[in-house]
Amino acid sequence: MVKAYKNIFERLNLNVLMVKADVGQIGGKSSHEFVAITKYGEALVAYCEKCGYAANTEIVELKKPNNEKEAPLPIEEVYTPNVKTIEELSSFLKVGKDKIIKSVLYIKQGKPVMVLIRGDKKIDEKKLERLFGTDEFRLAEDEEVLRLLNTEKGFIGPFIGGKDIELIVDNSLYNASNMVVAFNKPDYHYKNANIDFDNFVDVAEVQENDPCPECGNPLKVAQGLELGHTFLLGTRYSLPMKAYFTDKDGVEKPIVMGCYGIGISRLIAAIVEQYHDEKGIKWPLSVAPFQVLITCVNTADELQYNVSENLYKSLIQADVEVLFDDRDVSPGVKFNDADLIGIPYRIVVGKKIKDGIVEVVDRHTLKAVDVQIDNVLDYMKDLLNVNGR
């Protein structure tokens, strides 16, 4: 099925990445998404140009950094009035965001959980969901922060004493040294804090240039439109459902299953996203509604019209998919509409026909070539054969 999907996308001339994905509620051993790269897609994927690694950002595991601990500096309490965001704190103290510990309080199934992460990182709540084993969690409200930590948002910190609050520390804080951190006291922060954390997990959003989990080279991050999904289910469903088959030796075995889907309507959207310009669509030849458009510039000109009509009939007889624009409208309207609908090749029958010449325009490049009318049929056959289906 994966091979079939790849063949489909290749034939459609689509730039598609096969990326590792979360099995989600369907479950199984593994799953992969097929994602067309476009800035309007709903999926976010990370990929490595060096080793070929590719995955939905939700499952990219960012490893602990290789940095070594710095020599500890004297800890310092700093008055930071009304400085509540990472951006404000970085500017106020003139330190990089990567030298700040960001503390975020969640309520998970009624219980408080504090997540710590480096200031230049964001928390990926899909990773949290998998870590928690539930989607029943949310950010703490102001009242809950005040009641649980006796502080306000912007000054939440990991110094929670005897409070019964679960602590989750992101990998980005491994060996973090001389950090800026709040400590649940409004308008104050610590500088040069060195906290020994025991356990680390990955809960950070993947960002451009994060190290590849497999080779360490910088990752690329891009939006994409999910076009297909394959799940290797194994025996997840066949075992509990007792869906067995009998093999050649008469032994009953559970059916090994897969689950596959491809979005037909999404394919059209993805093609348009990847093949368009400011003028309109540029259909690949393999999926174009027509291969050729004949534009008769002036339908009132008997020679232009007759040549256009005869060419139309000849192309149809040659099994070419052709559309004849014989509307009585201005040439500008016809040319604009031709660019908008994006048929791969346009034959323009205009004033040059008096010299026995038509123009053949490539919609993808917008380059025009003069062709003798006696040669245009063979020219189009050769063109469509070279770039054909």
Side-chain angles (χ1 to χ4, degrees):
M1 290 301 296
V2 166
K3 178 62 175 174
Y5 280 13
K6 286 183 175 180
N7 288 344
I8 290 169
F9 300 133
E10 182 178 351
R11 185 168 172 180
L12 297 177
N13 293 315
L14 276 172
N15 176 20
V16 175
L17 279 177
M18 177 178 168
V19 304
K20 296 177 182 178
D22 187 8
V23 296
Q25 293 182 340
I26 291 178
K29 294 183 177 180
S30 66
S31 76
H32 289 84
E33 294 171 346
F34 295 84
V35 178
I37 302 303
T38 164
K39 63 181 179 180
Y40 298 108
E42 83 284 16
L44 197 63
V45 299
Y47 59 98
C48 177
E49 294 179 327
K50 183 73 173 180
C51 71
Y53 171 86
N56 189 298
T57 56
E58 296 173 2
I59 67 163
V60 177
E61 185 177 355
L62 296 174
K63 298 180 179 179
K64 298 173 185 176
N66 294 322
N67 53 294
E68 296 182 0
K69 279 197 172 185
E70 303 169 359
L73 298 172
I75 197 164
E76 179 184 351
E77 183 180 275
V78 182
Y79 181 50
T80 54
N82 296 315
V83 177
K84 296 183 178 182
T85 69
I86 296 297
E87 289 75 14
E88 291 170 346
L89 189 59
S90 174
S91 176
F92 186 85
L93 296 178
K94 294 180 173 54
V95 298
K97 295 177 184 178
D98 61 334
K99 297 299 291 183
I100 299 173
I101 295 176
K102 178 164 57 178
S103 307
V104 183
L105 189 66
Y106 287 91
I107 304 298
K108 179 188 74 172
Q109 295 177 315
K111 296 182 179 180
V113 180
M114 186 179 291
V115 179
L116 307 183
I117 193 168
R118 215 169 62 196
D120 60 333
K121 298 285 186 180
K122 295 180 180 179
I123 296 170
D124 188 328
E125 293 194 345
K126 283 293 184 180
K127 290 183 177 180
L128 273 187
E129 184 178 324
R130 287 199 302 276
L131 182 66
F132 291 161
T134 178
D135 60 359
E136 296 181 18
F137 65 91
R138 57 176 174 80
L139 288 170
E141 301 288 347
D142 291 352
E143 176 275 327
E144 292 168 319
V145 172
L146 181 62
R147 174 170 52 83
L148 291 165
L149 299 172
N150 196 32
T151 190
E152 57 186 281
K153 288 182 180 178
F155 301 100
I156 298 172
F159 303 96
I160 51 182
K163 301 284 186 180
D164 186 20
I165 297 178
E166 181 182 356
L167 201 63
I168 291 174
V169 186
D170 182 65
N171 282 343
S172 60
L173 291 176
Y174 179 74
N175 275 349
S177 309
N178 299 318
M179 304 294 286
V180 173
V181 63
F183 57 104
N184 304 317
K185 182 178 179 181
D187 295 332
Y188 284 89
H189 284 82
Y190 274 139
K191 283 180 68 176
N192 303 325
N194 292 279
I195 309 171
D196 290 326
F197 299 116
D198 295 326
N199 298 313
F200 299 85
V201 293
D202 171 39
V203 293
E205 281 187 8
V206 179
Q207 297 173 325
E208 189 89 5
N209 296 320
D210 276 337
C212 171
E214 293 191 356
C215 73
N217 280 279
L219 287 171
K220 297 285 187 181
V221 177
Q223 283 179 265
L225 184 64
E226 183 186 341
L227 302 179
H229 209 142
T230 61
F231 292 86
L232 182 59
L233 302 175
T235 57
R236 171 182 169 84
Y237 294 99
S238 54
L239 282 174
M241 295 173 66
K242 295 181 170 54
Y244 298 107
F245 72 98
T246 303
D247 70 9
K248 62 181 180 180
D249 299 319
V251 179
E252 279 196 342
K253 293 180 179 178
I255 295 170
V256 178
M257 298 173 62
C259 178
Y260 313 97
I262 192 166
I264 303 301
S265 58
R266 280 174 168 250
L267 291 177
I268 302 298
I271 290 167
V272 174
E273 290 296 347
Q274 290 191 359
Y275 290 95
H276 73 275
D277 57 19
E278 69 280 359
K279 295 177 180 292
I281 304 170
K282 301 189 292 186
W283 289 112
L285 197 58
S286 59
V287 290
F290 296 93
Q291 297 168 302
V292 178
L293 169 67
I294 298 174
T295 301
C296 180
V297 175
N298 182 7
T299 55
D301 184 307
E302 188 175 356
L303 178 60
Q304 290 186 31
Y305 187 85
N306 289 339
V307 169
S308 299
E309 188 174 42
N310 290 334
L311 186 55
Y312 172 69
K313 292 176 181 178
S314 298
L315 287 169
I316 287 179
Q317 289 177 354
D319 292 327
V320 175
E321 297 167 353
V322 57
L323 178 66
F324 178 17
D325 186 355
D326 59 353
R327 294 175 298 164
D328 186 18
V329 295
S330 71
V333 170
K334 290 183 180 182
F335 294 150
N336 285 337
D337 287 350
D339 288 336
L340 177 65
I341 63 177
I343 294 172
Y345 296 102
R346 178 165 80 243
I347 301 175
V348 180
V349 182
K351 292 180 180 179
K352 292 181 182 180
I353 196 59
K354 292 179 180 179
D355 300 319
I357 293 173
V358 297
E359 277 187 352
V360 178
V361 181
D362 185 326
R363 175 63 186 91
H364 285 258
T365 64
L366 296 178
K367 291 182 179 179
V369 177
D370 287 346
V371 181
Q372 290 287 335
I373 186 61
D374 293 339
N375 299 328
V376 71
L377 188 59
D378 290 336
Y379 180 84
M380 294 308 302
K381 285 180 179 178
D382 290 341
L383 195 62
L384 296 172
N385 183 54
V386 170
N387 301 304
R389 307 177 183 217

